[in-house]
Amino acid sequence: EAGVAQSPRYKIIEKRQSVAFWCNPISGHATLYWYQQILGQGPKLLIQFQNNGVVDDSQLPKDRFSAERLKGVDSTLKIQPAKLEDSAVYLCASSLAASGFLNTEAFFGQGTRLTVV
Amino acid sequence: AQSVAQPEDQVNVAEGNPLTVKCTYSVSGNPYLFWYVQYPNRGLQFLLKYITGDNLVKGSYGFEAEFNKSQTSFHLKKPSALVSDSALYFCAVRDPGSGNTGKLIFGQGTTLQVKP
């Protein structure tokens, strides 16, 4: 079974530039998460999709971050414009966890390491 | 609001000795609890979960965890540590209560260092 795929693995940009990350979840997984993991901290949930709808984006900095999940499959996370404090690893995860499947674990991709200089 | 805490930034243990990585949680109802491990430059890897039933759950690589409802804890354990267990460990909680979105919340992580 293929895992969660993310690209790119690494990205270096200058502040005020824009950047986009892509995620392809495990086939059949209804729920997709984007997490931000700053060095030395635990992953912080940015946005959670169930199929192609947003169910939680309470911690997404909406003035600069946006995300979409077209057709309930792939997802992109965009930052525009980037700030120095956005330097982090961005993790995508997916799970079966929709109504009736909340007991299922999430599977993570390898992440995209973003450095903003 | 749900939350999870890992009170130790780092745990040091000698190879062959038992290890414990601590986790406490806060949810409004009965929690679903998870442990993940992260190796350098890798994503998080699922170890084990508690949903219901036996308070002692067994997972990958010889790890186990004990759910204690009265102490709201879910400590990760292993009877005999290996050097290769050295990694960053995360506890996570999901509140399955009605109306909740299934949000998965992580602790801040505990670095496990196993010395030969």
Side-chain angles (χ1 to χ4, degrees):
Chain A
E1 179 184 84
V4 177
Q6 289 188 249
S7 66
R9 286 295 311 278
Y10 305 93
K11 191 74 176 179
I12 301 175
I13 61 172
E14 295 182 349
K15 59 184 179 183
R16 291 187 290 273
Q17 285 187 323
S18 63
V19 65
F21 313 127
W22 173 82
C23 174
N24 179 239
I26 293 173
S27 177
H29 280 193
T31 300
L32 186 147
Y33 311 84
W34 282 103
Y35 286 87
Q36 180 193 58
Q37 186 179 18
I38 293 173
L39 187 64
Q41 299 181 18
K44 183 183 85 170
L45 181 67
L46 292 176
I47 189 167
Q48 177 181 341
F49 293 94
Q50 186 166 311
N51 297 310
N52 60 349
V54 176
V55 295
D56 193 315
D57 62 357
S58 57
Q59 296 196 88
L60 186 73
K62 298 179 185 66
D63 58 333
R64 297 184 300 106
F65 285 65
S66 65
E68 61 181 4
R69 188 181 185 194
L70 298 176
K71 299 181 181 179
V73 183
D74 292 6
S75 177
T76 56
L77 176 69
K78 297 180 182 178
I79 307 175
Q80 181 179 10
K83 293 184 176 181
L84 296 177
E85 60 260 36
D86 297 332
S87 294
V89 175
Y90 290 83
L91 295 166
C92 179
S94 70
S95 75
L96 283 169
S99 177
F101 293 97
L102 292 179
N103 58 352
T104 56
E105 59 269 29
F107 295 85
F108 283 79
Q110 290 192 297
T112 296
R113 183 178 297 276
L114 174 67
T115 302
V116 182
V117 298
Chain B
Q2 63 194 82
S3 65
V4 59
Q6 295 179 240
E8 303 157 315
D9 288 338
Q10 182 158 329
V11 170
N12 297 308
V13 65
E15 188 174 32
N17 284 359
L19 68 88
T20 299
V21 182
K22 296 180 180 177
C23 171
T24 59
Y25 66 89
S26 174
V27 298
S28 57
N30 294 317
Y32 291 165
L33 294 155
F34 304 82
W35 274 101
Y36 285 82
V37 60
Q38 187 176 36
Y39 297 100
N41 299 313
R42 303 296 299 274
L44 277 69
Q45 185 176 339
F46 170 74
L47 279 179
L48 51 79
K49 65 183 177 183
Y50 171 81
I51 302 302
T52 188
D54 193 347
N55 288 342
L56 185 66
V57 293
K58 296 185 182 298
S60 306
Y61 312 120
F63 284 94
E64 57 190 28
E66 186 168 12
F67 172 64
N68 187 317
K69 188 172 183 177
S70 63
Q71 297 186 4
T72 62
S73 67
F74 188 56
H75 301 332
L76 182 70
K77 301 181 180 184
K78 187 173 183 180
S80 179
L82 299 173
V83 172
S84 57
D85 293 330
S86 298
L88 185 56
Y89 289 81
F90 290 99
C91 182
V93 66
R94 179 181 281 147
D95 185 348
S98 63
N100 286 326
T101 61
K103 180 163 52 177
L104 188 60
I105 300 299
F106 284 83
Q108 63 270 41
T110 299
T111 298
L112 174 65
Q113 187 77 17
V114 181
K115 298 189 186 296

